Amino acid sequence: MPAPIRVAVTGAAGNIGYALLWRIASGSTFGADQPVILQLLEIPPGMEKLAGVVMELRDSAFPLVHDIIATDDPNVAFKDANQIFLVGSRPRSAGMDRADLVAANGPIFVGQGKAIDNSAADDVRVVVVGNPCNTNALIACANAHKIADEQFTAMTRLDHNRAIGQLSKKSGVAASKIDGVAVWGNHADTMYADCTQATVDGKSATDAFEQDWLRGDFLKTVATRGKAIINARGASSAASAASAASDHMRDWFLGTNGRVVSMAVPSNGAYGVPKGLIFSFPVTIADGKYTIVEDWPVDDFAKQKIAQNVEALEGERTAVAELLG
Ligand code: NAX
């Protein structure tokens, strides 16, 4: 058996945390033979609830869980951490717009970026789930000077999985037979779920579906899915978000075997996206490193969507300029 890896999860007593921790502990995220040490962070008002979560984790007697640390100190939670899920932040409440959310949550990621820089392992991989996740990842990254920018990412895998779910529902083909979806941009309703290179049971998605649907109802359904779930459930996506966070880290840790997935990563200037913006691209992953897919055919519709997301993310970057280290 390999040595245990240290996995930190913030907001561990929250809804996503409750679904995510059982995936990590059971081996579905990092592999069935990879032991883990769980390092769980909450704010002081969440510590009692976290104690209950830890009781339940112990009661599950997972063979892969070597230890569980519960703390309200980021430097303890991130100590020597190899994999970090930054989930904890304030979800959007009634009357809050995106700018309010950026203002409420940005400062959390200044402190956590610094604590990661001080305490985490050199090989740390970070995924930000807490919204606005692209810009929160930018803030954390900018405040961690010793750690390479590439080690910070944000989660657009839920949008990617939502897109596959819609293609599967419409075609009746299992999700496992759908490939080549790419989500571009921000985890927000401007994101673009691009099916131009997708295949459904080996058949081109652009042949299988009407373009009007792919650019119309399909895109709208994926982009507004979070709101639809809040309306239906009375609570925001939790199990599907945890599942997507697990998929994101599993693929980064174990690789995608040539398969394309979507991750928000620091731009290297590809596709005209300004360097350093945390932007969702199609990527492949091998040997623990992701690579932005080059030469993806980008039509005029995609160019316009990419430009719209660049504009939105540059606006968010300007709004948090004083938090960027
Ligand atoms: P919950 O309110 O259930 O849980 C959040 C937890 O974070 C709480 O227990 C809270 O005490 C804790 N917390 C707050 N500030 C913290 C801090 N500074 N350090 C550590 N813990 C802290 O929210 P939940 O449903 O779990 O959602 C968490 C975040 O995920 C929200 O920001 C939400 O908007 C975001 N989401 C992101 C998604 C994505 O695709 N990227 C989709 C799902 C979700 O909306």
Side-chain angles (χ1 to χ4, degrees):
M1 268 221 173
I5 53 170
R6 292 180 180 270
V7 181
V9 178
T10 72
N15 287 313
I16 295 175
Y18 194 64
L20 176 60
L21 290 170
W22 268 260
R23 285 180 178 268
I24 298 169
S26 68
S28 31
T29 308
F30 298 108
D33 63 351
Q34 177 58 64
V36 293
I37 295 169
L38 298 174
Q39 306 191 160
L40 311 180
L41 182 71
E42 261 296 339
I43 46 176
M47 287 305 288
E48 192 177 342
K49 194 167 169 198
L50 182 58
V53 172
V54 171
M55 284 184 229
E56 280 204 78
L57 279 168
R58 294 202 187 282
D59 294 350
S60 303
F62 286 114
L64 291 174
V65 176
H66 280 214
D67 197 4
I68 306 172
I69 295 160
T71 178
D72 58 7
D73 180 347
N75 284 301
V76 173
F78 301 145
K79 180 91 185 109
D80 299 327
N82 310 101
Q83 312 286 330
I84 300 181
F85 296 80
L86 296 182
V87 180
S89 63
R90 203 172 137 188
R92 196 190 299 201
S93 51
M96 259 179 127
D97 64 16
R98 209 169 167 83
D100 297 329
L101 197 66
V102 172
N105 285 332
I108 294 174
F109 294 86
V110 173
Q112 293 189 351
K114 288 184 175 152
I116 290 170
D117 207 31
N118 283 338
S119 312
D122 293 342
D123 69 350
V124 67
R125 294 183 181 91
V126 182
V127 61
V128 179
V129 174
N131 279 322
C133 62
N134 296 55
T135 294
N136 290 339
L138 184 75
I139 296 169
C141 176
N143 284 280
H145 302 292
K146 298 197 292 276
I147 296 174
D149 292 357
E150 292 69 36
Q151 290 168 256
F152 286 86
T153 65
M155 184 173 97
T156 49
R157 186 59 174 266
L158 181 54
D159 308 281
H160 178 101
N161 288 350
R162 283 170 173 163
I164 292 175
Q166 289 306 306
L167 297 180
S168 171
K169 182 178 171 217
K170 179 91 167 171
S171 60
V173 171
S176 60
K177 294 188 171 167
I178 298 176
D179 262 321
V181 169
V183 169
W184 299 89
N186 197 5
H187 172 65
D189 50 17
T190 52
M191 68 87 224
Y192 173 45
D194 177 352
C195 298
T196 58
Q197 307 307 308
T199 55
V200 176
D201 205 6
K203 193 174 163 193
S204 163
T206 51
D207 292 339
F209 307 107
E210 297 284 329
Q211 191 183 71
D212 283 357
W213 181 74
L214 287 173
R215 291 183 177 181
D217 283 351
F218 161 79
L219 211 48
K220 188 168 167 214
T221 302
V222 176
T224 59
R225 192 65 158 182
K227 286 183 198 115
I229 286 167
I230 292 175
N231 290 342
R233 231 172 64 85
S236 62
S237 322
S240 57
S243 191
S246 172
D247 289 350
H248 178 117
M249 277 301 210
R250 182 201 60 221
D251 285 347
W252 197 358
F253 190 69
L254 295 171
T256 63
N257 214 1
R259 205 166 34 91
V260 170
V261 293
S262 306
M263 276 170 90
V265 303
S267 172
N268 57 7
Y271 302 97
V273 177
K275 265 194 167 179
L277 272 194
I278 307 277
F279 200 88
S280 184
F281 291 100
V283 303
T284 54
I285 306 165
D287 303 324
K289 289 201 178 343
Y290 58 79
T291 306
I292 296 173
V293 178
E294 287 176 15
D295 303 324
W296 187 275
V298 174
D299 58 21
D300 286 346
F301 187 77
K303 279 187 189 143
Q304 180 214 323
K305 290 284 180 189
I306 290 171
Q308 204 183 349
N309 279 281
V310 166
E311 191 186 338
L313 282 168
E314 285 191 314
E316 289 184 20
R317 181 164 66 180
T318 304
V320 300
E322 78 281 10
L323 303 179
L324 299 178

